[in-house]
Amino acid sequence: MTPTSQTITLETGTGALPARLYGSRPEKGYAPLVFHLHGGAFTGGTLECGAYISGILAAAGAVVVSADYPLACEHPFPFALTALFAAVTDVYRRRAALAGRGAPLYLAGEESGGNLAAGLAMMARDQRSPPIAGQILVSPMLDPSLATASIRRADAGSCGCKWADGWQTYLGSPEKAAHPYAAPLASSRLGALPPALVVSAEDCPMCDESRRYADALASAGVPTCVHILPGPTEWPDSISCPAPKPAAWTGAMRDLFRDFFVSTRPASRSGRLKADPAVL
């Protein structure tokens, strides 16, 4: 079942950014507000590609703003990240209307969207605004060296594979790979980031870098939960394709997302957090 959504636009300072809104503002209290980003190896992907994860986040009780973003083919790093930071700031300003007064703001993304979500979390920490309650990273692209065992098993480490080409296009020049906002896994300064939920799958090429980033966050004192789904899944491609997904994926991730929202809920606030399977 395709999750229902409505089209909205977000302000970036350099033009409007298209987005889809999933879920609805509760009549009382608030719901978690999630700023979500689709995958596509930085060079592809659409709002439709992000519908599956957005629907699960909404089913876990959140209001989800799934944003499109400028692709690296025309706009290499840091163009998309800068535009998205302005967009998530706009979402934060509108949080009362979108999800209720006091709604906590989360970042989420899969594959290249997970990279951008991680980079936004660093930017928000360094600029001390907007406040981020947590980050949800689903098989994020974090390592431009493509040197992990899970990448090698996928035969994805040489030029010509979409992830190698995506990294090259996104970075634009080799020295950008040293920038922590572009390649979060290489960052030596991960402290004070928001709590993280990292999800991947055993047969996903990004499995090892997902684990490594979760370990690095935990070592830096960031509350972190990592969950690896059993294969075969054909992640991350199968996440964004329109084909029906196994019910086990949906149920497992919905529960993980809901539990993460509960564990990171701001103290002394009341809010709605009710799973809504009808959203899917």
Side-chain angles (χ1 to χ4, degrees):
M1 179 177 178
T2 302
T4 58
S5 64
Q6 58 179 296
T7 301
I8 62 172
T9 57
L10 305 174
E11 292 301 320
T12 67
T14 58
L17 201 68
R20 288 183 180 179
L21 180 66
Y22 298 81
S24 58
R25 183 184 185 278
E27 293 183 3
K28 296 181 179 179
Y30 63 81
L33 178 60
V34 181
F35 185 72
H36 167 264
L37 302 166
H38 62 76
F42 300 115
T43 59
T46 64
L47 288 174
E48 187 62 33
C49 295
Y52 176 62
I53 295 296
S54 295
I56 299 176
L57 288 162
V63 172
V64 184
V65 177
S66 185
D68 209 352
Y69 51 87
L71 299 179
C73 306
E74 297 181 0
H75 301 289
F77 176 83
F79 190 94
L81 201 61
T82 301
L84 289 171
F85 188 76
V88 75
T89 300
D90 183 40
V91 169
Y92 180 71
R93 285 195 296 262
R94 296 161 61 181
R95 66 192 183 283
L98 292 169
R101 184 177 180 182
L105 178 63
Y106 293 82
L107 301 169
E110 58 271 12
E111 201 226 32
S112 56
N115 172 291
L116 294 166
L120 288 173
M122 292 182 176
M123 292 182 70
R125 174 201 61 190
D126 295 344
Q127 299 193 30
R128 300 186 179 182
S129 181
I132 305 298
Q135 50 184 323
I136 299 172
L137 311 177
V138 180
S139 287
M141 284 178 68
L142 301 168
D143 182 12
S145 69
L146 300 175
T148 64
S150 60
I151 281 283
R152 291 195 299 270
R153 285 194 298 270
D155 294 326
S158 61
C159 290
C161 91
K162 67 176 180 178
W163 294 297
D165 292 346
W167 272 116
Q168 184 176 15
T169 305
Y170 179 60
L171 296 175
S173 56
E175 69 273 9
K176 298 290 180 61
H179 199 297
Y181 294 171
L185 187 58
S187 176
S188 60
R189 196 169 65 88
L190 298 176
L193 286 171
L197 170 64
V198 181
V199 183
S200 190
E202 290 176 341
D203 60 334
C204 178
M206 268 59 77
C207 182
D208 286 352
E209 58 200 90
S210 298
R211 290 182 188 270
R212 286 174 56 195
Y213 194 58
D215 290 344
L217 288 171
S219 296
V222 177
T224 304
C225 177
V226 59
H227 187 87
I228 308 298
L229 272 66
T233 65
E234 298 184 2
W235 278 19
D237 292 347
S238 58
I239 294 176
S240 58
C241 75
K245 311 295 190 294
W249 295 5
T250 302
M253 285 195 287
R254 183 184 61 227
D255 291 346
L256 287 169
F257 296 164
R258 184 181 62 239
D259 292 346
F260 185 66
F261 293 143
V262 170
S263 68
T264 55
R265 180 183 298 167
S268 69
R269 288 184 183 176
S270 62
R272 182 200 73 175
L273 191 60
K274 181 180 179 181
D276 184 6
V279 174
L280 295 175

